[in-house]
């Protein structure tokens, strides 16, 4: 509880101050439907989901609110919650500050995870990322849970635009994740530090003449350690999706 209070105190103190500074506040909205929801190799929902978010940003600071809405009854959360079908089962609130220096992009921030209609409690992570401004944009991301899970997850990934035209682009991203025993015990039931997951995806984005963009997504993800497999529906998954983004 104290960790969540600290997180939201930072949001309430820092965000209004930054948004009040000189310079326009930018807003963006994203909405997409995916064939399933896989997070860090863990199958959170084995059926279709609708995921949407809204972001406000100014002078390197952004505040994002994201939701996951289940579209079928793949998940049953037991009494008194029942099926997740037709319900929001996750809301994430993320505060991020990002900047660039000497050829590197970096960011720091915090995320509160909330799981309504599931019976699962909230938790909070702090994170930092570092990306080199080069052709493959090598990136290291570190997330440390300071609440329920009390563990650390790290991901190393690369990304690159494979095709770019005036109306659209094809982007590739691939990465591998590692986590300590606390993280894996909380999410997979295996108290063991291990490489957790591998993922690769392609996203084709089509611009809509300044009014936003639409995109199609295809990805593959797999758990890397056998001891974690018992905590997920299946070890390897293919995810497809489509959505749109607007900015103003």
């Amino acid at each position: 509880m104290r960790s969540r209070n600290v997180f939201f105190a930072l949001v309430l103190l820092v965000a209004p101050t930054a948004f009040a500074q000189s310079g326009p506040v930018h807003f963006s909205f994203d909405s997409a439907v995916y064939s399933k929801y896989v997070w860090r190799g863990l199958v959170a929902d084995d059926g279709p989901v609708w995921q949407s978010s809204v972001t406000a940003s100014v002078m390197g600071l952004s505040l994002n609110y994201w939701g996951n809405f289940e579209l079928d009854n793949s998940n049953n959360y037991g009494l008194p919650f029942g099926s997740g079908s037709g319900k929001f089962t996750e809301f994430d609130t993320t505060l991020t500050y990002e900047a660039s220096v000497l050829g590197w992009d970096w960011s720091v921030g915090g995320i509160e995870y909330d799981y309504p209609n599931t019976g699962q409690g909230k938790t909070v992570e702090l994170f930092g990322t570092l990306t080199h401004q080069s052709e493959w944009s090598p990136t290291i991301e570190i997330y440390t849970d300071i609440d329920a899970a009390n563990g650390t997850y790290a991901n190393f990934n690369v990304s690159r635009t494979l095709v770019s035209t005036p109306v659209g682009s094809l982007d590739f991203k691939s990465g591998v994740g590692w986590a300590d025993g606390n993280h894996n015990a909380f999410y997979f039931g295996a108290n063991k530090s291990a490489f957790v997951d591998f993922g690769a995806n392609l996203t084709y984005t089509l611009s809509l003449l300044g009014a936003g963009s639409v995109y199609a997504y295809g990805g593959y993800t797999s758990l890397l350690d056998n001891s974690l497999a018992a905590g997920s529906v299946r070890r390897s998954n293919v995810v497809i999706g489509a959505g749109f983004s607007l900015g103003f």
Side-chain angles (χ1 to χ4, degrees), residues 92-103:
D92 299 347
T93 304
T94 304
L95 180 67
T96 306
Y97 180 77
E98 56 188 0
S100 300
V101 60
L102 300 177

Side-chain angles (χ1 to χ4, degrees), residues 13-244:
L13 289 172
V14 176
T17 301
F19 293 156
Q21 295 180 20
S22 59
V25 179
H26 297 282
F27 294 92
S28 60
F29 175 77
D30 184 89
S31 183
V33 174
Y34 295 96
S35 59
K36 62 180 64 178
Y37 174 24
V38 183
W39 181 76
R40 299 179 184 173
L42 177 70
V43 181
D45 193 315
D46 201 32
V49 295
W50 169 49
Q51 298 179 345
S52 57
S53 69
V54 60
T55 304
S57 58
V58 61
M59 300 185 69
L61 188 72
S62 65
L63 183 62
N64 172 271
Y65 192 63
W66 176 94
N68 179 73
F69 186 86
E70 300 190 10
L71 296 174
D72 75 353
N73 60 358
S74 295
N75 283 336
N76 190 313
Y77 298 101
L79 295 175
F81 303 101
S83 169
S85 179
K87 302 173 185 175
F88 280 99
T89 54
E90 183 177 346
F91 289 118
D92 299 347
T93 304
T94 304
L95 180 67
T96 306
Y97 180 77
E98 56 188 0
S100 300
V101 60
L102 300 177
W104 294 87
D105 298 325
W106 60 271
S107 69
V108 293
I111 311 170
E112 190 207 49
Y113 300 90
D114 185 11
Y115 303 98
N117 303 308
T118 68
Q120 183 175 335
K122 300 178 182 181
T123 195
V124 173
E125 287 183 339
L126 302 181
F127 68 87
T129 73
L130 187 65
T131 301
H132 189 254
Q133 298 171 352
S134 56
E135 183 178 11
W136 283 94
S137 301
T139 299
I140 180 70
E141 306 172 358
I142 300 176
Y143 301 84
T144 297
D145 192 295
I146 59 172
D147 198 354
N150 194 31
T152 296
Y153 173 87
N155 187 277
F156 175 77
N157 58 78
V158 294
S159 59
R160 181 183 180 185
T161 298
L162 302 179
V163 178
S164 180
T165 71
V167 295
S169 64
L170 179 65
D171 299 297
F172 169 80
K173 183 176 181 179
S174 182
V176 60
W178 174 93
D180 66 12
N182 286 343
H183 177 280
N184 291 336
F186 186 81
Y187 289 106
F188 296 99
N191 192 353
K192 173 186 177 183
S193 297
F195 284 98
V196 177
D197 64 313
F198 165 81
N201 62 71
L202 290 169
T203 303
Y204 179 73
T205 303
L206 180 64
S207 299
L208 298 177
L209 301 177
S213 62
V214 295
Y215 58 88
Y217 171 95
Y220 170 81
T221 180
S222 180
L223 290 172
L224 296 178
D225 193 291
N226 284 329
S227 65
L228 307 180
S232 190
V233 174
R234 62 178 54 84
R235 185 168 178 175
S236 297
N237 293 272
V238 173
V239 182
I240 58 174
F244 69 92

